Amino acid sequence: MLYPWHLYLMAGMYSFAGIMHFIKPKAYTRIMPRYLPNHKVLVFWSGIAEVVLGIGLCFAKAIWGIIAMLLVFLLVHFYMLSSEKASAGIPKWILILRIPLQFGLMYWAYWYLQF
């Protein structure tokens, strides 16, 4: 079955984001909530999850996995709003806009369940 081009765009976006976990791991460990253990391990496995789920969108139904991953990543987005240090220098207005964007990405993924 041939999926719409924008599903492949989504797959590429998540795969690229996952690969970035290995190219720039410090950028990801820096924004991990303090209450989560083993930041390096979590960054590694979240990168693996993004790559696998991104590729999975091209071959199988990885939609629910993408939605679950985005829900878990909300922890990081809310944590980044908690303090100046946690924000990693990103302006607060951008951090606030990331919350509805995250839900928009979930809806975008959910939309593909019809295919």
Side-chain angles (χ1 to χ4, degrees):
M1 177 178 193
L2 187 61
Y3 296 111
W5 65 268
H6 34 84
L7 180 65
Y8 298 108
L9 173 68
M10 178 188 280
M13 180 181 75
Y14 287 113
S15 297
F16 175 76
I19 290 167
M20 291 306 295
H21 282 69
F22 307 108
I23 294 173
K24 298 278 189 187
K26 287 184 182 179
Y28 294 90
T29 55
R30 183 174 57 161
I31 62 171
M32 292 293 290
R34 292 182 188 189
Y35 56 84
L36 294 176
N38 303 317
H39 291 172
K40 288 181 183 179
V41 172
L42 290 174
V43 167
F44 173 82
W45 285 110
S46 62
I48 293 288
E50 280 194 282
V51 171
V52 168
L53 289 170
I55 293 169
L57 288 172
C58 296
F59 302 104
K61 297 288 185 179
I63 302 298
W64 288 112
I66 292 288
I67 293 169
M69 180 184 69
L70 291 169
L71 280 169
V72 170
F73 288 176
L74 276 172
L75 293 172
V76 172
H77 296 304
F78 284 115
Y79 172 74
M80 290 180 76
L81 283 166
S82 70
S83 72
E84 187 70 31
K85 183 178 179 186
S87 74
I90 299 172
K92 194 167 199 115
W93 68 271
I94 291 175
L95 296 174
I96 291 169
L97 284 178
R98 286 173 62 187
I99 305 300
L101 173 64
Q102 196 78 352
F103 286 102
L105 290 171
M106 286 181 232
Y107 177 76
W108 183 21
Y110 182 79
W111 186 80
Y112 290 111
L113 289 173
Q114 68 181 327
F115 294 104

